[in-house]
Amino acid sequence: MTDTPVRPTAWTLRETPIGPLLLAATEKGLVNVVFHARGRTLDRALSQLSARLGSEPLPAEHPDAPSGHLAAAGAALDRYFAGSPVPVDVPLDWSLTGGFNERVLRELAAHVPYGTTVGYQDLALRVGDPGAARAVGVAMGANPLPVVVPCHRVLESSGAIGGFGGGLETKRALLALEGVLPQPLF
């Protein structure tokens, strides 16, 4: 049995046009973003953070919470949801991912800018694993930092929007915000 390294974590809820987001950060940076963070979803996310990071996440306003990165992340997301194409550039703590998934997510974060998309296959090629398009899809589904690491920008090779952990309506809304899809009429 391996011991989980203790990583103190702070969290806050951020209201956005796509619903409440849980933002969690360690002293290293933003570590987790969770869609639809209400009720059981919020409780489950906090429990998973506790298990994975070795300490109970503290609300940002708690005096012992390492909340320094939360304000920067919240401000960057506010700009993003206001339509700014400036990247959500905040320090990231990659400790909730690793291996192939981390390689794919880092490539996505660094090289697929606002208002652009990439296919699963193309992303597999970019990380040097041309046969791993399905594994790229798994990496997108396991992304601990959605929106900030923009898995919503990954599409099927046919141009279809594919799946999305935050729900297809959320993916469509994010792509519309970035001008990739037309804004909904209703």
Side-chain angles (χ1 to χ4, degrees):
M1 183 172 133
T2 61
D3 291 324
T4 301
V6 175
R7 180 141 309 153
T9 310
W11 68 275
T12 190
L13 287 178
R14 195 77 176 190
E15 288 299 327
T16 73
I18 58 169
L21 296 177
L22 167 71
L23 305 179
T26 67
E27 69 284 346
K28 290 178 70 176
L30 190 66
V31 71
N32 201 204
V33 176
V34 177
F35 291 112
H36 316 298
R38 286 191 184 98
R40 283 191 233 155
T41 300
L42 175 61
D43 293 343
R44 185 173 38 252
L46 292 173
S47 177
Q48 289 172 345
L49 276 171
S50 179
R52 303 252 340 251
L53 299 176
S55 67
E56 183 176 339
L58 299 171
E61 55 277 356
H62 191 283
D64 296 331
S67 56
H69 296 295
L70 290 177
L77 285 167
D78 288 348
R79 288 189 299 275
Y80 171 80
F81 285 113
S84 172
V86 175
V88 179
D89 187 20
V90 297
L92 301 177
D93 179 339
W94 295 94
S95 61
L96 294 180
T97 191
F100 177 81
N101 287 5
E102 184 176 346
R103 283 191 0 247
V104 170
L105 293 171
R106 283 180 181 267
E107 173 65 25
L108 176 64
H111 300 291
V112 182
Y114 184 99
T116 66
T117 60
V118 66
Y120 294 99
Q121 179 63 43
D122 186 39
L123 205 45
L125 289 168
R126 289 182 185 200
V127 298
D129 203 341
R134 286 182 187 246
V136 167
V138 171
M140 295 305 102
N143 180 4
L145 295 159
V147 182
V148 177
V149 176
C151 53
H152 61 278
R153 295 180 189 151
V154 183
L155 307 178
E156 294 179 1
S157 59
S158 67
I161 68 170
F164 193 62
L168 292 181
E169 184 177 313
T170 299
K171 186 170 186 173
R172 283 186 191 100
L174 293 171
L175 291 171
L177 172 72
E178 294 186 19
V180 175
L181 293 177
Q183 290 288 340
L185 296 175
F186 301 92

